[in-house]
Amino acid sequence: MMLFTKSFSLLYLLCITSMAFGMGSNSPQSKGTLLFKITHPNSKHTSYLFGTHHAFGKSFFDSLTTANQALASSTMLIKENLNLPGHTAEDIINKRQNKTNWRKYLNNNDLKFIVELFTTSPTDYTKMTPAELYAFLNRYFKQRVCLEKESTDTSLSLDDYIGQKAEELNIPLIGLETTEDQIALLNADVEGMPRKHHGRRLANIIQKIQTKNNRDCGETDWYAQMEMDYQLDKPCVNALVLTDRNNKWMSTLVNLLESNDCFIAVGLSHLMYDCGLLKQLQGLGYTITPIDAL
């Protein structure tokens, strides 16, 4: 069995589980697009905020004419993190000395599946934690089962593809946090989770992959159709993954927005709820205008 990608976003799982799939917002400014224009009455700069989904990639972004034009008009791309040589998730995991005894978490059949799945991967799965493996398998499920990507498809994630496009346009890239930060956060979010719970989660997602069970693909359908409800008046439910990170990012973003035409590409959940970037930017006097990404 061949892996279709050499890298993966460890925070994919955290961001997605923080989302809600409601369609019933009455606020036209918070529904129906992935792209928002950011302006301020005291600034000449125009920036854009784009909500990503890490399971999507090249074909999806290439279909978004307006989003591509917004990126091309920008003087800086801001992403959650940058895949710097020596500091990718693959690099960090492979440098570890400790290994996970997967027989404590997986039965023989599931362990055989994992061994085959990682046969061609440069990432040493024996050095991954249960939380990291679960995040990887969730993304694998979304891509291979929900989006029906072929095993030979080596295209980048949506975030990394946008980064590649920016580099081709000679647009500088800024990361809001390090990959080391993200890995630590992923594991901290499930700190104290019983081993049996980890095992059940892994067994469930492996079964979904093996049976190609697409009943849990509503999230990718929802994103592809851009029918999101940002629920800007709803409280955030995960302080560690959303609230704290959004608050930390805002100090960096405001400084960059004051002096650049930015294209900000972060996980869609970071735009949502009352702690989201949309609501926080509005609170600072920025005008947030929804733009049809197509």
Side-chain angles (χ1 to χ4, degrees), residues 48-166:
Y48 295 90
L49 180 57
F50 181 81
T52 65
H53 186 303
H54 305 309
F56 286 73
K58 179 182 186 300
S59 60
F60 180 76
F61 193 73
D62 283 349
S63 71
L64 307 178
T65 301
T66 306
N68 275 272
Q69 291 173 345
L71 175 63
S73 71
S74 301
T75 58
M76 177 176 290
L77 170 64
I78 304 173
K79 298 171 70 248
E80 290 186 31
N81 75 309
L82 304 181
N83 287 318
L84 301 175
H87 296 274
T88 65
E90 171 195 323
D91 295 325
I92 295 164
I93 291 170
N94 289 347
K95 288 177 183 177
R96 293 172 179 166
Q97 298 300 313
N98 295 332
K99 294 187 177 183
T100 298
N101 183 355
W102 287 113
R103 294 191 181 278
K104 292 183 177 181
Y105 297 92
L106 303 171
N107 62 36
N108 289 337
N109 289 333
D110 287 349
L111 181 55
K112 181 180 178 181
F113 172 80
I114 294 300
V115 171
E116 292 177 354
L117 188 64
F118 278 83
T119 297
T120 60
S121 173
T123 303
D124 186 350
Y125 78 92
T126 68
K127 296 182 178 181
M128 296 172 72
T129 67
E132 293 161 4
L133 181 59
Y134 184 57
F136 171 83
L137 292 174
N138 255 278
R139 175 172 166 183
Y140 187 90
F141 167 72
K142 300 301 181 185
Q143 291 182 321
R144 289 292 299 277
V145 178
C146 297
L147 298 180
E148 299 182 335
K149 284 191 176 182
E150 297 295 332
S151 61
T152 54
D153 186 346
T154 59
S155 59
L156 299 170
S157 71
L158 182 54
D159 302 62
D160 289 340
Y161 179 65
I162 293 172
Q164 178 179 286
K165 293 275 288 187

